[in-house]
Amino acid sequence: MSAWETLLLALQIAASALFSFGGITVVLVQLEDTFVDRHALMSNDQFWQSYALSSVAPGPNGPIFMSFLGWEASGAILLGVCLVAWAVPTLTVMYALGRLGDYESRPEIGRLLAVLKAIAVGLLSAGIVSMVTAFDFEVRFVGVGQVVLAAAAAVVLWRKWLTPLPTLAVCMAIGAMLLR
């Protein structure tokens, strides 16, 4: 892998890390595209096996997953690149959110966090559908159904009809009913 390709990979991982505030599942689609399709660093089976291993390991599964992907793709050097590319944006966002202070006294920050929650639910829904389709389940809805489900979840969260956990549970139930 050339230095240019390694830099491009690191930037793609960093971009995914910026959207991972709902957990690693929300960016599985982007990471799969990066490692399997764009750079052809591993097979689809290797990617999902790495995800499965990182999910059962104790601790934060984002860095663990990045370690598995880097090692599986190219060894120790790429493992380090993946970890740094994942950690820098994630830690920067956490630091910035911590510096915002009490968001309850600042309504604009509360609105921003509500939007971020909605985005996380939408990305999480797409990640779950991607994971299910990777394991050879047949899904009755693809494309339009994903968009409708994500949009409905975003509206529910934005209007504060439900908190994120029940909203996610409802989305998962709907998704399970639509599987064959």
Side-chain angles (χ1 to χ4, degrees), residues 20 25 34 57 70 74 77-78 88 91-92 104 110 113 122 125-126 138-139 158 166 171 173 175 180:
S20 69
T25 309
T34 298
S74 188
I77 293 174
L78 198 56
V88 169
L91 295 174
T92 303
E104 291 180 5
L113 292 176
S125 301
E138 189 173 325
V139 179
W158 177 64
C171 288
R180 288 187 203 188

Side-chain angles (χ1 to χ4, degrees), residues 106-161:
R106 299 171 65 185
E108 67 276 4
I109 302 301
R111 286 192 297 273
L112 173 65
L113 292 176
V115 169
L116 292 177
K117 288 177 192 175
I119 291 170
V121 169
L123 290 170
L124 182 59
S125 301
I128 290 170
V129 169
S130 177
M131 184 173 29
V132 167
T133 56
F135 292 118
D136 293 330
F137 286 105
E138 189 173 325
V139 179
R140 291 186 203 152
F141 76 103
V142 178
V144 175
Q146 291 173 333
V147 171
V148 170
L149 187 59
V155 169
V156 165
L157 289 171
W158 177 64
R159 301 291 297 172
K160 297 183 181 178
W161 291 331

Side-chain angles (χ1 to χ4, degrees), residues 22-42:
I24 192 78
T25 309
V26 300
V27 293
L28 282 174
V29 174
Q30 291 84 1
L31 291 172
E32 179 185 23
D33 180 59
T34 298
F35 280 87
V36 176
D37 299 329
R38 289 187 189 179
H39 296 282
L41 293 171
M42 61 183 53

Side-chain angles (χ1 to χ4, degrees), residues 31 38 63 94 103 143 166 172 179:
L31 291 172
R38 289 187 189 179
M94 293 306 299
Y103 71 88
M172 290 173 63
L179 291 176

Side-chain angles (χ1 to χ4, degrees), residues 3-15:
W4 175 251
E5 290 173 322
T6 303
L7 177 62
L8 183 60
L9 176 68
L11 290 173
Q12 290 168 334
I13 292 170

